[in-house]
Structure formats: structure tokens, C-alpha cells
Amino acid sequence: MNEIVAKVLKGDARSIARLITLAENNDPDVMSAMKDIHPHTGNAYVIGITGVMGSGKSTLIYELTREYRQQGLKVGIIAIDPTSPFSGGALLGDRVRMMELATDDGVFIRSMGTRGMLGGLTSAVYDVVEILDASGKDIVMVETVGIGQAEVDVIKIADTTLVVLVPGLGDSIQTIKAGVMEIADIFVVNKADRSGVEQTIAEIESYIDIANTDRDRKTPVLSTIAKESKGISELIYEIDKHREYLKKTKRFDAQRRKRYEAELVEIIRKRLMDFIFDEPKFTGKVESLIDQMSKKEVDPYTAADEILGKILK
Amino acid sequence: MERKIRVLVAKPGLDGHDRGAKIVARALRDAGMEVVYTGLHQTAEMIVESAVQEDVDVIGLSLLSGAHMTLFLDVTQLLKKKGIEDVLVVGGGIIPEEDVPKLKKAGVTGVFGPGTHCEEIVEFIRKNVKR
Ligand SMILES: Nc1nc2c(ncn2[C@@H]2O[C@H](COP(=O)(O)OP(=O)(O)OP(=O)(O)O)[C@@H](O)[C@H]2O)c(=O)[nH]1
Ligand SMILES: [Mg+2]
């Protein structure tokens, strides 16, 4: 087995960190490493935390982690922030709220930029979840801002998804993607020290009444004050309840299976795209087809067939 | 395959001014780097552990309080103790001329005083990253 994988399985932080970097960079070595990682996965429970910008997601993760640590559980955290489309750089600021956890060796925190490559983020996050899982973490939390489709896709990795909103909603429901409201397993109204909590809860509940009429489980709506550690054990209780519900109704395995399906599709899609768009013999062809399309010499479907025909043959 | 320079920006010590650190963090982002910002009042242990987990190429330390010698050196010593040799350490803040050689000798490879242009820091990092 790969030397780095052996160390990851023992929970060695430096090896975990290095393997994550390779996964993020799409390094060819990752493929063989993930072969050895995969059999050791499946133990970690994955919690997705998404929602409005600045709603207190990182503070909530910090509070949840403290509780889980008291239960003796090991925690991995993946904090995703948007990559600037202009420079390709990113300012990853979620750690600020979690610095107290930095020296706890039962906690591993990794910040990631979305990097904006055609779905590149999603495939890397699958790897990172698997790496943290294999390294012995009992809980893996993934934080994203719920604004783009990439973020919605990423959070589908989770077994339980929290959508975090704040009082004075009306507008805050508008700022997240509609798809984000739909993936919530639990709604959290954080900053409940502010006014308008009841109204916000009422608005979410009226949304739920419309949205999930066909479910045998009503999506709970909780309020928290993360900054004052209030409402955290209630939130953990609801997460546990959702987990039990998934297990009891056999949804857990079905949901995990869906995750593997999505991962497989993602890897195939990505490798096909790389194959077409990075391969020198194709780039020229792609460029000239685009030129021909602009001049109306060829239609889009015929152009696509020309490229695909070269691969499928 | 895409490789990005990752930088941890931290403020050790007790002073509460992180304006400078934030300006530098933004400039590094605008230069295409991934900047992990960790905020105020960091201990050397927090900084080094975070740098390990984030697998950064660079640690950027910012300090105004004048305690740079001990605080910067705590970080470089801890890195040495852990056998971490591939991370570039740079420091910024109000640092007297005579301390600069001592800092460089101790492993703070780049030292930047007030009024340093951000481009200079970007250039330095690009030239000196170790991997
Ligand atoms: N009033 C109040 N402020 C809070 C509460 N929880 C967090 N905050 C503050 O809200 C701000 C944002 O908190 P974060 O935890 O960084 O929020 P976030 O959702 O992770 O932010 P982004 O990652 O930037 O989208 C910080 O200043 C927190 O201290 C709360 O319950 N009440
Ligand atoms: Mg955050």
C-alpha cells in the first residue's frame, strides 16, 4: 500500500493534509491512493451546513464540534469558500471562528476554494470526505455558502443537511438558491438573539407546508444563538433523530448509494471533459468547430457529434 | 493539474489590529493565491497546527506590538521541532532594522516593514516558495 495512505489510516495530520492537496490539484497519484482509501470509508456521518452568507455557519460548526468532542467523537471539517473568478485566488476565512479547535488532535479542519473548474470542486470534495472518513473521523462537516449550483451539488454529499437562515428572513430566503431550501433536512434560524425570530420560523414553516407534502417526516425548524452556545444540544438531538429516521426507513443506504452514483458520474464526466478539452489533438478541432458554428457553417449538434464520434469510435 | 500557492495569514500576540493583515490577505488572493485567514490572537501552536492541516506553502505573520522577536521565533522553532522544512515563513509589521538579520537567520525568510507594497510581497512569495 501507498506509504501516505498507511499514515492517513493512522490519522496522521500531515499525511491527511498532503493527500487532500493532491486531490484538490487533480494529481494523477490520487487515483491509486483512493483505491486504498475507499475500502476504509463509510464510517463517518456527513453533515452539510449551508445557507445565507454570514448567518453563523462556521460558529455553529465550532459549537457542534465542541459537543461532539465531549461525546468523544473525532471530527473533520471541510470549509468551502468561493474562488474569485477574476484572479483564481480565494480568501478562506471560516477558520477564524474555529481557531480554538486548531490544537485539538481529534479535529481536522481544511479550507477549500471552489476553484470554479467545471465541477472540479465536487469531485475533489468527494475525495476529501473519503480521506477524512478513512482517517478515523466519526463526523465530517461540510460548510458552503448556498448561492451557486456548485454549492448545492456539493452539499448533496451530506447524510444530513442543515440550512442556516437568520431572522428578518423575507429577503434572506431570496438570497439563497431555491434548490437550497429543498435540500434542508433541518432548518436552523441562527442569531435568535435578534428580533423577528417567530416570524422567520413561521415563514419557513409555511414554505415547508407547501414544499414537502408527500413526506413522512416534517422538516424541523430550530432556533439557535451560536455565539452564546444556545440551542446546540437541541440541534444535535435533531441531527441524531434524522440519522435514526434514515436508518429506520432504509433511506440511509439508498441515499449513500445515490452519493456513489453521483460520484461515479462526476468522475466520468470530469475525465471525459479533461480528455476532450486538454488533449492537444482535440483542442484544435474544438476551436475550429466553434469558429464554424459562429459562421453558421455547422450546427451545434453536428459539431458535438464530430467530437463525440472521435471518442466513441 | 492545477497547483495554487496556499498561504496562511495569522496574527500572533495580543494587539487587535488586523487591518494590515487583511490588506495583504486580499492582495495575495488577487494575485491568484488561496489565503487561509485565521484572525487575531493566535498562539504559535495554533498557527503551526493550522498550517499543517491546511498544507500551506507559506505562513505570513503580522504583528504591530513589537513582540515580534519572541512570537515569530516561537513559530519557526515549532516548525523546526516538527521537522517541517518546506514552508516559507514571512513576517510583517513594525520591525526595527537591527532585528531583521536575526529574524532571517531564525527562518523568517522575508521581513516587510510598514509601507511595503503588496506587489513586493507577492513577488517575494512567488520566488521563494519551497515546493
Ligand atoms: N448576534 C449573533 N451573531 C452571531 C451568532 N452566531 C454567529 N454570529 C456572528 O455572525 C458573524 C458571522 O459568523 P460566521 O460563523 O462567520 O458566519 P458564516 O455563515 O460562517 O459566514 P460565511 O462563511 O462568511 O458565510 C460573526 O461575527 C459571528 O460572531 C448569533 O447567534 N447571534
Ligand atoms: Mg463561514
Side-chain angles (χ1 to χ4, degrees):
Chain A
M1 198 198 318
N2 216 308
E3 190 193 339
I4 189 167
V5 173
K7 285 188 180 164
V8 167
L9 296 180
K10 288 198 187 110
D12 176 60
R14 275 166 81 182
S15 306
I16 298 170
R18 192 53 56 94
L19 189 53
I20 291 176
T21 303
L22 296 178
E24 272 197 297
N25 292 345
N26 260 318
D27 191 289
D29 287 347
V30 155
M31 262 191 256
S32 72
M34 292 315 289
K35 259 181 221 167
D36 296 331
I37 290 282
H38 190 74
H40 300 275
T41 62
N43 301 315
Y45 195 76
V46 184
I47 303 171
I49 295 100
T50 189
V52 181
M53 210 181 286
S55 55
K57 299 179 293 296
S58 301
T59 315
L60 273 169
I61 289 177
Y62 168 69
E63 292 294 334
L64 289 171
T65 303
R66 288 209 321 180
E67 284 262 343
Y68 284 129
R69 291 297 293 141
Q70 279 187 352
Q71 296 177 17
L73 300 174
K74 292 191 177 132
V75 180
I77 299 165
I78 306 168
I80 302 166
D81 276 316
T83 293
S84 154
F86 306 107
S87 68
L91 203 50
L92 313 173
D94 296 312
R95 262 197 115 93
V96 174
R97 314 272 169 238
M98 311 178 190
M99 282 313 281
E100 298 295 324
L101 304 170
T103 51
D104 178 348
D105 62 10
V107 178
F108 187 101
I109 308 171
R110 181 64 171 236
S111 315
M112 292 176 75
T114 51
R115 297 208 179 175
M117 297 287 289
L118 286 158
L121 168 71
T122 339
S123 65
V125 175
Y126 283 117
D127 289 341
V128 180
V129 170
E130 291 216 339
I131 292 165
L132 291 173
D133 185 345
S135 79
K137 304 297 178 281
D138 303 288
I139 305 280
V140 173
M141 290 192 251
V142 184
E143 172 181 345
T144 69
V145 177
I147 39 176
Q149 189 58 44
E151 283 88 340
V152 176
D153 287 344
V154 159
I155 222 71
K156 285 185 185 153
I157 288 175
D159 298 309
T160 297
T161 300
L162 316 181
V163 170
V164 186
L165 302 163
V166 290
L169 194 57
D171 19 275
S172 108
I173 271 195
Q174 311 298 327
T175 57
I176 58 173
K177 254 189 101 74
V180 170
M181 292 296 284
E182 281 154 33
I183 56 174
D185 297 306
I186 300 168
F187 282 104
V188 180
V189 179
N190 188 43
K191 307 201 182 183
D193 49 325
R194 294 199 185 156
S195 60
V197 186
E198 289 76 18
Q199 197 201 328
T200 304
I201 292 177
E203 279 184 54
I204 297 170
E205 290 194 324
S206 93
Y207 166 84
I208 293 169
D209 283 342
I210 305 164
N212 46 359
T213 42
D214 57 350
R215 287 205 204 162
D216 50 1
R217 170 182 176 270
K218 188 175 173 297
T219 315
V221 185
L222 295 178
S223 63
T224 56
I225 307 174
K227 220 171 65 175
E228 297 168 17
S229 318
K230 288 196 179 130
I232 305 303
S233 33
E234 290 82 352
L235 179 53
I236 298 236
Y237 174 77
E238 284 297 340
I239 294 170
D240 287 345
K241 245 175 71 181
H242 181 243
R243 184 178 185 165
E244 275 166 35
Y245 161 84
L246 291 176
K247 288 257 159 81
K248 218 170 51 204
T249 57
K250 309 249 178 337
R251 279 184 166 84
F252 185 81
D253 291 328
Q255 210 169 283
R256 285 265 166 118
R257 197 172 185 288
K258 251 188 169 163
R259 184 165 111 195
Y260 287 127
E261 181 187 349
E263 181 172 8
L264 178 63
V265 170
E266 176 58 31
I267 291 171
I268 292 174
R269 202 187 59 78
K270 181 155 195 328
R271 285 173 69 181
L272 259 181
M273 294 305 237
D274 287 352
F275 184 68
I276 297 171
F277 292 103
D278 293 351
E279 181 72 30
K281 72 169 183 227
F282 281 126
T283 24
K285 187 74 195 156
V286 170
E287 292 301 322
S288 89
L289 280 168
I290 296 170
D291 288 340
Q292 285 175 270
M293 280 165 66
S294 320
K295 291 189 216 134
K296 316 280 185 254
E297 290 167 7
V298 66
D299 70 281
Y301 288 97
T302 310
D305 273 350
E306 278 226 18
I307 297 291
L308 291 174
K310 284 203 192 314
I311 302 169
L312 299 175
K313 214 170 24 202
Chain B
M1 199 181 126
E2 199 180 343
R3 177 91 175 79
K4 279 186 203 282
I5 296 178
R6 287 173 62 90
V7 188
L8 186 98
V9 173
K11 271 201 62 77
L14 296 176
D15 75 279
H17 306 275
D18 61 351
R19 236 186 68 222
K22 279 183 174 158
I23 290 170
V24 173
R26 255 178 246 127
L28 298 179
R29 176 200 57 192
D30 292 342
M33 301 178 194
E34 285 185 345
V35 184
V36 180
Y37 188 70
T38 60
L40 299 166
H41 311 318
Q42 303 302 309
T43 65
E45 286 77 15
M46 285 171 170
I47 292 167
V48 171
E49 281 313 316
S50 301
V52 166
Q53 294 174 10
E54 298 289 354
D55 197 21
V56 291
D57 308 281
V58 185
I59 298 177
L61 301 169
S62 156
L63 203 70
L64 292 175
S65 68
H68 52 270
M69 279 311 268
T70 48
L71 289 167
F72 285 11
L73 299 194
D74 283 350
V75 172
T76 52
Q77 262 158 24
L78 195 55
L79 285 171
K80 214 168 273 165
K81 205 175 115 197
K82 294 193 144 235
I84 300 169
E85 284 155 0
D86 55 2
V87 176
L88 172 72
V89 182
V90 299
I94 302 162
I95 294 157
E97 221 25 73
E98 69 264 25
D99 286 346
V100 174
K102 281 183 246 167
L103 283 170
K104 287 197 171 162
K105 194 163 159 250
V108 185
T109 315
V111 181
F112 304 98
T116 308
H117 285 290
C118 286
E119 299 90 79
E120 204 181 309
I121 302 174
V122 168
E123 271 312 296
F124 185 88
I125 288 176
R126 286 213 177 109
K127 274 211 191 92
N128 290 281
V129 279
K130 298 183 186 173
R131 60 183 172 100

